[in-house]
């Protein structure tokens, strides 16, 4: 095909891709035509032949082959043979390039899964040498300051120079490399590496490693001859990419290891107990503080789970914990941790979602994990609970709560919050011979309702009038076994007015040996209960005095009114009788024998009336020499009989005091509820009027009110 020059040549040659091109003369220098390059339009395996001697043109010297005109059959055969040879060499080179790229693709897959350290990269360099038929390879990396090219690793180099003629790193660095690093005096850091046998005069190819438009380093390849070193740039660039992947993966893994080592250092130096666990609770790492709080060795912790540490594994909301993203937290949990010896500690357990490197992962892959912080709050929580208990006890004492409420509060708090195995509050009987249990809490056991003070540690505490702490009950002969799991016992006495009236008894198993702090706690509680008893006793005495006549010891006017109000309110259809009793001519006795004698007479009269009535009757001094009696459940006839019995008890006997003596009579008025009144005032008025009627009838008589 004949082509005009230059437009048809420029447009047609790249499309035709001819195997042989004959150029007549030197068209690139013809006057009137713009300059262009024929070779730049052709494939590398196209034979370019210049023909000399036609039309007087000058010879095209840029051709691969020059022949003289006229062109003979022998010239054609020679041209065809040369073209065939070029085509064969091109196909071989193309096949070799494809083979290299396939091998480099396999290396790239392996480079993305690096194992430990530079040894893996050295293996990749060895595989690269096999691909390119190189004899040695080295990896050189640029430092962060970009002033130093540091030796990283190699294959085929020796660590020490074999002879004075061996090449040093400075000698094998190509000038091109120095120019690429923009350093006039490049600092080379690495082993003073020599080259293996026969490589002192090797041909070196330096392949730059570029990542994200930044020079990372170089691969140096040593070839035994320049011909072998003639490797296509595309394959070398692909190999550089493989090594770049391996270097980056190795760096990521190295950073992950450094981060993990730093985490381990921080964890071990932390005063808190820290655990790194997977989402199934398997412990991966534990701080030194975690071994202390758990009572387990590091190897024992690393073989277990968080659930192994807890008294109640169900206390952990694992489903919520597993949903935590890195950095997320949840409110702390308060759980009991159990040690191998059975002892327990209350811990505050905080959780945070994190990520960790998967163990033995060749790629340094990450997985979701949990970071747990455990803080032992046993002692601080105990102090808070004790303060709360003391506060509640103080309030109950000041408000004079019933003793039963106090016993319930104390025994339940000690059992539930302090994990004692047995808690008993006992009271002594009046004879000081038995201890009766008011409240008790016991794990899977029952206890007697009463103890003889002659047996057991409780009995010993009563007999010796002191507190007892038995840290090991097997050392105490007086110990009375109720529960075979009990290992220690503490007893504190409850005192009222200095006298033992009860006790607090706590017992515990091997998980929580009792000590001085436990004894101190129950002694403080016993003191508060004693205060409450004394306060209640004083209150009772004051209440009694408020309802009692100070002279006679019977009820007073206030007690009478309260009694009548309560009886009327409680049973409006139930009968009761009220008697008004007044001494006849008592003023004359007072004037003649004196007020002391008169006071003694009132005391004796009150006693005789009390002896004449049932236990459920109320006797009260209504005022002066008037005494009232309220008797439930009587009808009229019965009320008159009781009144007559009282009159006879007073009238038939004299009253004696010191050397003086006198006889007296009484007038008694009787009123019935509800016949004579349905209110307090009405019934009192009826009895008073009946009493005065008896006086008007001549005294020393009984009179019942009229309806």
């Amino acid at each position: 095909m004949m082509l005009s020059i230059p437009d048809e040549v420029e447009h047609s040659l790249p499309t035709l891709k001819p195997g042989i091109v004959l150029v007549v003369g030197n068209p690139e220098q013809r006057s009137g035509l713009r300059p262009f390059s024929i070779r730049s339009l052709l494939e590398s395996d196209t034979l370019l032949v210049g023909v000399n001697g036609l039309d007087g043109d000058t010879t095209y010297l840029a051709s691969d082959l020059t022949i003289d005109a006229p062109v003979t059959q022998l010239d054609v055969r020679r041209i065809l043979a040369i073209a065939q040879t070029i085509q064969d060499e091109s196909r071989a080179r193309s096949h070799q390039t494809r083979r290299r790229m396939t091998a480099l693709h396999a290396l790239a897959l392996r480079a993305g899964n690096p194992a430990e350290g530079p040894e893996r990269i050295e293996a990749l360099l060895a595989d690269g040498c096999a691909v390119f038929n190189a004899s040695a390879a080295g990896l050189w990396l640029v430092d962060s300051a970009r002033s130093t090219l540091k030796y990283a690793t190699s294959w085929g180099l020796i660590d020490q120079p074999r002879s004075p003629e061996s090449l040093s790193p400075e000698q094998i660095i190509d000038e091109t490399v120095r120019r690429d690093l923009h350093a006039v005096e490049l600092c080379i850091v690495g082993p003073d590496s020599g080259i293996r046998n026969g490589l002192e005069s090797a041909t070196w190819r330096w392949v730059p490693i570029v990542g994200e438009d930044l020079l990372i380093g170089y691969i140096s390849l040593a070839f035994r001859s320049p011909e072998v070193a003639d490797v296509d740039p595309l394959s070398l660039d692909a190999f550089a990419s493989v090594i770049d992947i391996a270097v980056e993966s190795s760096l990521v893994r190295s950073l992950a290891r450094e981060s993990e080592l730093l985490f381990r250092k921080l964890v071990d130096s932390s005063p808190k107990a820290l655990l790194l666990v997977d989402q199934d609770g398997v412990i991966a790492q534990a701080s030194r503080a975690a071994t202390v709080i758990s009572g387990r060795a590091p190897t024992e912790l690393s073989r277990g789970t968080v659930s192994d540490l807890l008294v109640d594994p169900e206390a952990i909301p694992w489903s919520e914990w597993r949903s935590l993203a890195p950095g997320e937290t949840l409110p702390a949990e308060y759980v009991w941790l159990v040690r191998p010896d059975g002892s327990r500690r209350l811990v505050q357990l905080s959780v945070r979602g994190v990520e960790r490197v998967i163990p033995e992962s060749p790629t340094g892959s990450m997985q979701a994990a949990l970071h747990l912080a455990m803080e032992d709050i046993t002692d601080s929580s105990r102090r808070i609970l004790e303060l709360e208990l003391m506060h509640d006890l103080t309030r109950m004492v000041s408000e004079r709560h019933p003793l039963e409420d106090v016993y319930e509060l104390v025994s339940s708090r000690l059992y539930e919050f302090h994990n004692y195995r047995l808690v008993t509050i006992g009271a002594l009987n009046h004879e000081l011979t038995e201890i009766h249990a008011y409240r008790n809490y016991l794990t899977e056991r029952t206890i007697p309702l009463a103890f003889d003070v002659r047996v057991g540690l409780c009995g010993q505490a009563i007999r010796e009038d002191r507190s007892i702490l038995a840290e090991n009950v097997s050392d105490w002969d007086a110990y009375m076994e109720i529960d075979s799991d009990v290992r220690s016992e503490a007893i504190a006495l409850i005192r009222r007015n200095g006298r033992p009236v009860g006790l607090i008894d706590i017992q515990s198993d091997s998980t929580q040996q009792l000590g001085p702090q436990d004894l101190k706690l129950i002694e403080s509680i016993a003191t508060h209960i004693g205060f409450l008893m004394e306060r209640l006793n004083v209150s009772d005495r004051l209440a009694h005095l408020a309802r009692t006549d100070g002279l006679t010891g019977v009820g007073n006017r206030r007690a009478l009114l309260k009694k009548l109000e309560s009886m009327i309110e409680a049973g409006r259809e139930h009968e009761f009788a009220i008697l008004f009793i007044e001494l006849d001519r008592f003023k004359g006795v007072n004037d003649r024998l004196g007020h002391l004698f008169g006071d003694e007479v009132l005391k004796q009269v009150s006693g005789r009336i009390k002896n004449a009535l049932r236990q459920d009757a109320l006797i009260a001094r209504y005022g002066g020499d008037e005494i009232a009696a309220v008797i439930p459940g009587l009808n009229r006839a019965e009320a008159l009989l009781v009144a007559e019995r009282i009159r006879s008890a007073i009238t038939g006997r004299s009253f004696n005091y010191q050397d003086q003596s006198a006889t007296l009579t009484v007038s008694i008025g009787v009123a019935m509820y509800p016949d004579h009144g349905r209110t307090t005032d009405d019934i009192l008025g009826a009895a008073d009027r009946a009493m005065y009627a008896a006086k008007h009838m001549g005294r020393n008589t009984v009179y019942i009110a009229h309806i």
Side-chain angles (χ1 to χ4, degrees), residues 345-498:
R345 306 298 292 176
L346 182 63
V347 298
Q348 176 181 290
L349 195 57
S350 303
V351 61
R352 176 184 294 273
V354 295
E355 286 186 326
R356 65 182 292 261
V357 177
I358 300 176
E360 308 303 326
S361 169
T363 60
S365 301
M366 308 294 283
Q367 69 175 180
L370 299 172
H371 179 212
L372 305 182
M374 296 190 299
E375 184 178 359
D376 188 346
I377 60 171
T378 308
D379 296 333
S380 59
S381 176
R382 179 191 181 96
R383 286 192 292 271
I384 292 173
L385 291 173
E386 290 174 1
L387 288 173
E388 290 178 350
L389 177 56
M390 292 301 111
H391 174 268
D392 291 340
L393 273 178
T394 302
R395 176 181 55 81
M396 297 180 82
V397 169
S398 65
E399 296 175 359
R400 299 195 298 277
H401 279 246
L403 279 173
E404 287 292 319
D405 293 350
V406 175
Y407 294 159
E408 177 67 27
L409 171 74
V410 170
S411 52
S412 62
R413 291 276 185 91
L414 291 180
Y415 181 76
E416 294 171 5
F417 297 127
H418 289 273
N419 288 311
Y420 297 135
R421 191 172 182 85
L422 181 149
V423 177
T424 299
I425 298 180
L428 275 169
N429 61 3
H430 291 293
E431 295 77 18
L432 304 183
T433 58
E434 285 187 336
I435 305 165
H436 295 268
Y438 270 95
R439 284 286 182 271
N440 64 76
Y441 285 75
L442 183 63
T443 305
E444 301 174 354
R445 294 289 191 278
T446 57
I447 64 172
L449 296 178
F451 298 90
D452 193 317
V453 296
R454 293 172 296 180
V455 297
L457 290 177
C458 289
Q460 182 174 341
I462 294 294
R463 295 193 309 273
E464 297 178 1
D465 194 16
R466 68 183 181 93
S467 298
I468 287 180
L469 173 62
E471 297 186 45
N472 188 350
V473 293
S474 61
D475 296 336
W476 292 71
D477 296 334
Y479 173 69
M480 180 177 63
E481 181 177 303
I482 297 174
D483 184 352
S484 59
D485 291 328
V486 168
R487 293 293 179 269
S488 53
E489 183 175 4
I491 303 155
L493 299 181
I494 301 172
R495 302 176 186 276
R496 184 174 66 188
N497 301 322

Side-chain angles (χ1 to χ4, degrees), residues 127-348:
D127 294 338
C129 287
V131 171
F132 296 112
N133 199 22
S135 300
L139 176 63
W140 311 75
L141 299 176
V142 180
D143 69 351
S144 58
R146 307 194 59 76
S147 62
T148 303
L149 190 65
K150 292 185 177 181
Y151 167 83
T153 187
S154 64
W155 180 84
L157 301 180
I158 58 176
D159 292 336
Q160 296 296 328
R162 180 175 51 81
S163 66
E165 291 78 20
S166 298
L167 298 178
S168 68
E170 288 84 352
Q171 292 172 304
I172 63 176
I173 293 292
D174 190 273
E175 286 300 322
T176 312
V177 176
R178 298 178 187 274
R179 287 195 300 273
D180 287 346
L181 289 175
H182 303 289
V184 178
E185 296 181 357
L186 184 67
C187 175
I188 308 299
V189 179
D192 195 16
S193 302
I195 310 301
R196 293 190 185 278
N197 294 342
L199 293 183
E200 287 83 354
S201 58
T203 298
W204 289 89
R205 290 288 301 272
W206 288 84
V207 184
I209 304 172
V210 180
E212 298 181 357
D213 297 328
L214 184 66
L215 181 65
I216 296 174
Y218 282 90
I219 304 169
S220 58
L221 293 170
F223 299 90
R224 293 185 181 277
S225 65
E227 291 77 13
V228 178
D230 186 18
V231 181
D232 61 289
L234 181 62
S235 297
L236 292 176
D237 287 343
F239 183 50
S241 298
V242 170
I243 300 301
D244 179 32
I245 293 173
V247 169
E248 288 296 324
S249 298
S250 179
L251 179 60
V252 168
R253 188 173 181 84
S254 175
L255 291 174
R257 285 200 191 94
E258 289 180 7
S259 176
E260 194 161 338
L261 288 174
L262 178 60
F263 175 77
R264 161 65 67 178
K265 186 175 180 181
L266 292 174
V267 163
D268 283 342
S269 61
S270 173
K272 285 190 176 182
L274 304 178
L275 296 175
L276 182 64
V277 305
D278 65 17
Q279 291 194 318
D280 293 324
V282 178
I283 300 172
Q285 294 181 6
S287 67
R288 291 190 182 93
T291 64
V292 174
I293 191 175
S294 67
R296 292 167 171 82
T299 53
E300 188 178 359
L301 275 178
S302 62
R303 293 195 299 265
T305 66
V306 175
S307 297
D308 298 334
L309 308 179
L310 305 179
V311 173
D312 180 16
E314 299 299 325
I316 299 299
W318 283 110
S319 58
E320 296 181 27
W321 284 16
R322 291 189 183 100
S323 65
L324 287 176
E328 288 185 339
T329 62
L330 284 174
E333 300 289 338
Y334 296 89
V335 296
W336 282 98
L337 180 148
V338 60
R339 291 173 169 172
D341 61 1
S343 61
R344 300 178 181 183
R345 306 298 292 176
L346 182 63
V347 298
Q348 176 181 290

Side-chain angles (χ1 to χ4, degrees), residues 644-658:
E644 186 59 38
R645 187 164 63 243
I646 293 173
R647 188 192 66 76
S648 298
I650 296 173
T651 303
R653 295 162 51 193
S654 62
F655 294 91
N656 303 306
Y657 178 66
Q658 296 181 352

Side-chain angles (χ1 to χ4, degrees), residues 1 38 87 402 429 453 553 557 613 699:
M1 178 181 289
I38 297 176
Q87 290 291 330
N429 61 3
V453 296
R557 184 187 185 96
L613 297 178
R699 299 183 176 86

